[in-house]
Amino acid sequence: MRASAVTLPGDPPGGRRAAAVWGVGVAVYFVAVIFRTSLGVAGLDAADRFDVNASALSTFSILQLLVYAGMQIPVGLMVDRLGTKKVLTIGVVLFTVGQLGFALSPSYGTALASRVLLGCGDAMTFISVLRLGARWFPARRGPLIGQVAALFGMAGNLVSTIVVARMLHGVGWTATFAGSAAAGLVVLVPLVLFLKDHPEGHAPPPARHAGAAFVRKQIARSWREPGTRLGLWVHFTTQFPAMVFLLLWGMPFLVEAQGLSRETAGELLTLVVLSNMVVGLVYGQIIARHHEARVPLALGTVGATALLWATTLAYPGDHAPMWLLITLCTVLGSCGPASMIGFDFARPANPPERQGTASGIVNMGGFVASMTTLLAVGVLLDMTGDDYRIAFSSVFVLEAAGITQILRLRARTVRRERERLVASRVEAVHVPV
């Protein structure tokens, strides 16, 4: 099915102006990801600074992701009602205050509160950027625009694994996190001055309803679409292995379980990010041309990830060889691009006035899975005396659950998409000239 080749009536034109405006939103998302993932390279330092065990350390990321996941539907509704600019502005203020508070926190409790603020602000960025792209670029560009946005997010992750890590061990905790918070102010200025919700002549129709009834109707109609539910489960199943690895447990696993130095472990985390950026461009091009490749790409990514995790955890001996760790990190880099496929199921299933809500539902998937796995790994490490093989085996349970749902929903989703494609072509034929 080559639905991506269809140009819909009323599509925005794209162009340089669209790229410039969208770039402002992407810059905000870039900074949000730096703040979100900065704990991933500071996990061991945080444990020492606040004198906490593995379960308490995982609470930082779990609470941040709990807030992020819990806010996805409210944020989607906010974007649909208030527009991108207002939501992004609120987000920048919140995640900047959160990062600064984390830098200055004297105790574990205040540090947790700061990560909650950061999670609130972070939650408002990606859905807004997706909505911005949908408003400024033609629908056929949707898959590629989404993957490029995610690519810039991974560039933010790259800054964390390289720049923030070096700053942390060079100038210390407070200077590193307080200094990085200044990036929030840097992106706030062009956001306020230059970002526009949509090009002229492409304003969305005004919402006719408000209040609780409108909210329930938006959520219910989005959820009834099998494409929305399939998108959620694709995101759930594909994103979390790399997220858990980069956000918190990758560095401890490589240093404590595999006996690597922090420098070598940091290089492997960087490899995950670089692989993500390359694979994202490839996946975006493939899906833009061949929508039928979406499910095979998603399932293939899950299968490859499970195989490499199983091989690494079951490898005889105390440590897996470097070639296997390199292969694992390279394959983990495909998880982020595969998770973006979820949005490519929800996008054609929902009209423009529900795009924010539907994207919020999809985006919950991977973060709920990540939050669950972060907690499971921390608890299992404490219960087993830091046995990473047992702790990381929890990955397979969530992957099995997600695959079951993907296989259940895929046929229904494809059938509905074909029906919509036929209807849109009939409508285009009968539009008066």
Side-chain angles (χ1 to χ4, degrees), residues 1-3 5-6 8 420-430:
M1 179 176 55
R2 299 292 297 275
V6 177
L8 300 177
R420 284 191 177 89
L421 180 59
V422 171
S424 66
R425 285 174 174 170
V426 171
E427 180 182 351
V429 169
H430 290 88

Side-chain angles (χ1 to χ4, degrees), residues 135-363:
R135 288 299 185 194
W136 281 89
F137 291 95
R140 67 181 183 276
R141 301 293 186 191
L144 183 59
I145 291 299
Q147 290 288 358
V148 172
L151 185 151
F152 278 97
M154 291 311 296
N157 203 325
L158 190 62
V159 170
S160 290
T161 57
I162 297 177
V163 179
V164 174
R166 291 182 180 178
M167 288 178 62
L168 190 64
H169 299 295
V171 300
W173 179 281
T174 301
T176 297
F177 285 101
S180 64
L185 299 177
V186 172
V187 296
L188 182 60
V189 174
L191 168 60
V192 172
L193 295 179
F194 303 117
L195 191 136
K196 303 291 183 183
D197 285 345
H198 50 78
E200 292 184 10
H202 292 272
R208 297 180 180 178
H209 305 283
F214 169 77
V215 170
R216 288 194 298 268
K217 189 175 295 184
Q218 282 283 93
I219 296 173
R221 288 178 175 175
S222 297
W223 183 254
R224 278 200 295 267
E225 292 293 342
T228 304
R229 299 198 302 276
L230 178 58
L232 180 145
W233 284 108
V234 167
H235 201 269
F236 176 100
T237 313
T238 54
Q239 188 203 46
F240 78 94
M243 177 69 72
V244 168
F245 199 78
L246 289 171
L247 199 60
L248 184 61
W249 291 122
M251 180 69 77
F253 169 75
L254 295 171
V255 173
E256 296 177 353
Q258 299 302 321
L260 303 180
S261 67
R262 286 196 179 199
E263 291 74 18
T264 303
E267 291 172 357
L268 287 175
L269 293 180
T270 303
L271 177 60
V272 177
V273 177
L274 292 174
S275 173
N276 184 300
M277 297 170 74
V278 173
V279 174
L281 290 176
V282 175
Y283 278 19
Q285 292 286 354
I286 292 174
I287 296 169
R289 290 172 169 80
H290 308 284
H291 265 201
E292 68 275 7
R294 290 171 298 173
V295 170
L297 280 177
L299 293 178
T301 301
V302 175
T305 304
L307 176 63
L308 264 296
W309 261 125
T311 304
T312 301
L313 297 177
Y315 195 86
D318 294 333
H319 306 310
M322 182 56 70
W323 66 263
L324 182 54
L325 295 176
I326 290 174
T327 306
L328 171 65
C329 290
T330 302
V331 172
L332 284 175
S334 64
C335 291
S339 71
M340 293 298 300
I341 297 173
F343 298 102
D344 295 320
F345 287 109
R347 188 182 299 111
N350 292 273
E353 61 270 18
R354 288 207 309 265
Q355 288 295 319
T357 304
S359 295
I361 292 172
V362 171
N363 211 29

Side-chain angles (χ1 to χ4, degrees), residues 375-390:
L375 176 61
V377 170
V379 170
L380 289 171
L381 285 174
D382 287 338
M383 291 176 59
T384 61
D386 292 339
D387 189 328
Y388 280 89
R389 289 183 175 179
I390 295 176

Side-chain angles (χ1 to χ4, degrees), residues 98-123:
Q99 185 78 340
L100 182 60
F102 194 59
L104 304 176
S105 293
S107 66
Y108 178 68
T110 54
L112 280 178
S114 297
R115 296 306 284 188
V116 168
L117 275 180
L118 196 157
C120 287
D122 183 19

Side-chain angles (χ1 to χ4, degrees), residues 80-94:
D80 287 338
R81 290 286 298 173
L82 302 178
T84 302
K85 183 172 184 175
K86 291 180 181 178
V87 176
L88 277 180
T89 301
I90 297 170
V92 171
V93 172
L94 289 176

